[in-house]
Amino acid sequence: MSEHPSAQLLERFVLGELSPAEAGPVVVHLVRKGGCGRCRARLAPHYHFLADPDAEPAAPEAAAEELARYDRAIDSAAAAVRVHGAQAVRLRSRARQLLAELGAHGVCRVSARTRGAYPKYEAVLAYSWSLRHSDPQRMVDFAYLATRIARHLGREGYGAEQVADFEARAWGELANACRVADRFAEAESAMGRAFALFATGSGEPLLQARLLELRGSQLGLQGQHRAALKHLDSAQQIYLGRHDRQAAGRVLITRGVYCGYAGQPQRGLRDIERGLAMIDREGDRELADTALYNQIDLLVESRRWREARALLWRHRPRLSALGELVRPRLDALEGRINAGLGELGRAERAFAAARAGFARAGAGRHAALVALDLTTVWMRQGRLEEAHGLAEAAIGALLAVQAPPDYESITALVLLRSSFQAALATAAQVQSVVEFLRRVEHDPGARYQFREG
């Protein structure tokens, strides 16, 4: 084969749909004399022998608690397709074996049409989920692979309704992966397809609840808080009706976060506390720790400084393990707490650490927001000249990242810059802009009210 195989031909090769005569030239193209690097790279996630032999293997992603959470998910999925007893145990064992292989190498030897594709489907979905903090783009890739596997599961004896359920679940998880990766248009399209497939399936309540839960999160990030809470409430009721307290607690925690985004931090705190009381904290420590982080965040929003500080100091070591971006977020929360308590020296050190951490992580917008927080501290300390220079740099950085342009945010920043240029800016005005810019992240419809110096 002198030319590269087409994308369609490679997809059919991955799915095992080529005849031996068609597949032969593709294999030769991939492996003869080292093979085509471009095509090998495209197919490496699906075939272990195509991976770079000199590359360092990825660290295993499937920690013990991840596997425990995964076991609960596959047991629920097996029940939904009426697979029980020894067969369910065998399926879970094989799926865990494949998941371990994915965690160790980031690739999987089983093709989409290989007999026993259901365990691969489960393993690929679990691995996709495990990438949500470390590699959102690969999370999308593996969720998409699950949608391709799902459509072939009818060849293993599953009925048309069951296959529709498998596809609906995979497309729902793909929508969630696209949301995590900030690919919002693709997320909308995938979620629409998930619900369309669900309508042709068995109507399995737990699958419906999961899709409602994912859609609620999607709507929440779009600022459609009322619709988001309605979807989450429906999901929670289904989970409670099926006696799944873990899932119901998870939804309550998510609901609390979106209540906070909607400007109801006290209600959000109540939901998070109720959710924490329902979940198995040790069995799903990541969920518990994420809930604790959001609890601290809402306490800060509520200006309950001392409660927030006590919770942060008590749990900071375990919260720091949530991910690279969480550590500077914790520093930023500590800075806001200290500023709220009037401890300006401590606030300055915390904001400086947060700014440096965000810069190292390439999170320019967050670094610039924290620079404005630091500006308010310097202004309160009387260091007006330093504060003016820092504010100018931060405002310039924030204006540069408004893509697509957000009129309200741009207006707030331009008015603040004008106040500094006229030597009329106050710490209170800077703080009002920072608070608005944080709010508009979760409420695109928010409007800025200019605060006179």
Side-chain angles (χ1 to χ4, degrees), residues 174-191:
L174 176 60
N176 189 52
C178 289
R179 176 186 66 83
V180 172
D182 296 334
R183 293 160 60 169
F184 300 117
E186 294 169 80
E188 281 290 305
S189 176
M191 187 59 73

Side-chain angles (χ1 to χ4, degrees), residues 322-344:
L322 282 172
E324 181 184 7
L325 271 178
V326 174
R327 287 184 284 278
R329 286 180 187 274
L330 294 173
D331 286 327
L333 285 175
E334 185 171 354
R336 293 169 68 189
I337 292 166
N338 290 330
L341 291 170
E343 299 178 10
L344 299 184

Side-chain angles (χ1 to χ4, degrees), residues 340-358:
L341 291 170
E343 299 178 10
L344 299 184
R346 283 182 167 183
E348 179 185 3
R349 290 191 292 274
F351 284 139
R355 186 184 177 203
F358 283 131

Side-chain angles (χ1 to χ4, degrees), residues 78-298:
V81 296
R82 295 182 292 280
V83 177
H84 304 286
Q87 185 180 2
V89 172
R90 286 195 299 272
L91 287 172
R92 186 171 75 181
S93 175
R94 177 58 177 148
R96 286 190 66 165
Q97 178 186 351
L98 292 169
L99 181 60
E101 181 178 315
L102 282 165
H105 304 290
V107 292
C108 193
R109 294 184 178 87
V110 184
S111 79
R113 281 189 63 199
T114 299
R115 192 71 178 168
Y118 175 66
K120 183 188 179 185
Y121 166 84
E122 291 291 348
V124 165
L125 280 178
Y127 187 65
S128 171
W129 175 254
S130 75
L131 295 170
R132 62 198 178 281
H133 297 308
S134 60
D135 197 339
Q137 301 306 323
R138 288 184 74 225
M139 181 187 183
V140 172
D141 292 341
F142 279 96
Y144 178 73
L145 176 59
T147 70
R148 312 306 289 171
I149 298 170
R151 73 181 191 183
H152 290 283
L153 287 171
R155 296 169 182 168
E156 299 197 355
Y158 298 107
E161 288 187 348
Q162 291 175 308
V163 172
D165 287 351
F166 290 135
E167 289 194 81
R169 179 181 165 210
W171 281 97
E173 298 299 338
L174 176 60
N176 189 52
C178 289
R179 176 186 66 83
V180 172
D182 296 334
R183 293 160 60 169
F184 300 117
E186 294 169 80
E188 281 290 305
S189 176
M191 187 59 73
R193 187 158 184 180
F195 275 104
L197 285 160
F198 176 78
T200 67
S202 68
E204 161 58 35
L206 287 176
L207 174 58
Q208 181 183 21
R210 179 59 176 163
L211 293 180
L212 288 167
E213 179 184 356
L214 294 175
R215 181 59 175 160
S217 293
Q218 204 173 41
L219 289 167
L221 285 184
Q222 295 170 3
Q224 300 182 50
H225 299 125
R226 183 174 297 179
L229 295 177
K230 184 176 179 180
H231 279 72
L232 293 171
D233 286 343
S234 297
Q236 187 203 8
Q237 290 306 311
I238 294 172
Y239 285 134
L240 287 174
R242 297 296 291 265
H243 308 291
D244 190 340
R245 285 178 57 83
Q246 187 76 12
R250 182 183 67 231
V251 172
L252 258 181
I253 290 166
T254 303
R255 192 186 191 285
V257 172
Y258 288 118
C259 280
Y261 291 168
Q264 304 174 52
Q266 299 303 324
R267 186 177 178 185
L269 282 167
R270 287 195 297 272
D271 281 347
I272 289 176
E273 288 165 5
R274 288 170 58 208
L276 279 168
M278 294 176 71
I279 66 171
D280 175 4
R281 293 195 184 199
E282 291 307 312
D284 195 345
R285 291 190 61 179
E286 183 181 339
L287 175 61
D289 291 348
T290 301
L292 282 170
Y293 171 84
N294 286 304
Q295 194 173 18
I296 296 166
D297 188 45
L298 288 178

